[in-house]
Amino acid sequence: MKYISVAIDGPSGAGKSTLARQAAKQLGYLYVDTGAIYRTVALSAVRAGIDPADAPRLIPTLEKLDIRLDYGADGLQHMYLNGEDVSQAIREHAISQHASTVSAIPQVRAFLLDLQRELARNNNVIMDGRDIGTVVLPEAQVKLFLTAAPEARARRRHLELCQRGQDTPFETVLQDIIRRDEQDTNRAIAPLRQAEDAVLVDTTHLDLEQSLHAIVSAIEEKIK
Ligand code: DC
């Protein structure tokens, strides 16, 4: 492999995206948020009036789907759907559950595989998701599994939503996290699980700075 790939997997709200983005910045790698890609597929279904669970209706729309990923002048990953920047729209609370639903459809996963692998073929990447170390980049030089207790994850997600002005009760956020864990872990295809050769990082009792340190150290340890 010409480039270095770092795979970071774990459940929702473990801090993967914040930590992976910051670690990538420190190391000068490209950060790839694969959840954003599933979210864009979910948004596309919703906008087309298709129930995200309706696989027979959703699958035929995939080949006409115009999804692009680009990095703006701000260095951040932007998602485009039919040319429109949907980076904000895909963060709506309802889209999280829909993304989890579409991600359980094998044809959706197969459709997105090349897009993800292509990025790793041409860049040093830190890619986060659910199946990066197990399916998308099984040859990644570094694999991390980032997790935290559900309550800790719900607290962080709740704070994030409040800061964005999306006032959702804490209990709802917690129940949604538990439901998504359940759905992402128990699906038949590419379920969320720790790769055998992944390093486990539990951030339940770590703050952001401590978590970032744990991750960057684990990466440097592997690639030195
Ligand atoms: O990381 P996120 O919360 O933005 O991801 C949204 C959903 O997409 C998540 O519930 C499961 C799915 N997903 C996946 O199945 N595989 C990935 N590599 C990334 C996300």
Side-chain angles (χ1 to χ4, degrees):
M1 236 190 260
K2 212 161 74 184
Y3 292 98
I4 292 174
S5 296
V6 177
I8 304 186
D9 291 303
S12 315
K16 289 190 305 290
S17 55
T18 308
L19 292 165
R21 187 182 309 115
Q22 294 191 7
K25 200 168 170 195
Q26 270 193 27
L27 297 164
Y29 287 19
L30 189 71
Y31 165 55
V32 184
D33 170 3
T34 64
I37 310 176
Y38 287 93
R39 286 170 179 269
T40 306
V41 175
L43 181 69
S44 156
V46 170
R47 286 191 172 173
I50 298 173
D51 175 352
D54 188 348
R57 274 194 73 201
L58 187 92
I59 293 163
T61 67
L62 290 175
E63 58 187 46
K64 282 172 247 130
L65 208 59
D66 175 15
I67 285 190
R68 247 179 352 97
L69 181 157
D70 212 345
Y71 291 83
D74 51 8
L76 297 178
Q77 175 181 326
H78 289 252
M79 293 305 308
Y80 294 86
L81 175 62
N82 302 320
E84 175 194 346
D85 187 341
V86 292
S87 311
Q88 289 297 323
I90 58 170
R91 298 293 153 198
E92 293 284 321
H93 187 58
I95 295 295
S96 305
Q97 180 59 36
H98 294 325
S100 175
T101 302
V102 298
S103 75
I105 302 172
Q107 288 85 345
V108 169
R109 304 203 72 85
F111 175 75
L112 298 180
L113 207 51
D114 275 353
L115 173 65
Q116 298 170 80
R117 288 186 176 156
E118 184 70 19
L119 288 161
R121 249 195 303 276
N122 299 311
N123 303 277
N124 289 324
V125 293
I126 295 190
M127 195 175 279
D128 85 16
R130 304 295 188 286
D131 63 335
I132 309 304
T134 51
V135 177
V136 180
L137 305 174
E139 308 294 328
Q141 291 88 336
V142 188
K143 296 182 189 180
L144 304 176
F145 193 82
L146 196 65
T147 192
E151 291 72 18
R153 290 187 277 129
R155 257 197 313 279
R156 294 173 194 161
R157 189 46 58 96
H158 183 241
L159 187 69
E160 203 178 284
L161 287 169
C162 288
Q163 283 166 347
R164 269 198 233 122
Q166 295 176 38
D167 221 349
T168 314
F170 173 78
E171 243 338 280
T172 309
V173 178
L174 178 60
Q175 289 314 318
D176 284 356
I177 282 209
I178 292 171
R179 189 170 63 233
R180 275 216 285 158
D181 280 1
E182 164 68 34
Q183 211 166 283
D184 296 344
T185 308
N186 294 320
R187 67 181 175 217
I189 180 159
L192 168 66
R193 70 174 174 82
Q194 183 179 346
E196 272 168 28
D197 48 351
V199 176
L200 178 69
V201 180
D202 186 330
T203 67
T204 306
H205 301 294
L206 303 182
D207 65 19
L208 194 68
E209 205 177 315
Q210 292 165 327
S211 306
L212 183 62
H213 180 72
I215 285 176
V216 173
S217 307
I219 296 172
E220 286 175 339
E221 179 64 26
K222 288 270 182 188
I223 59 175
K224 73 180 175 197

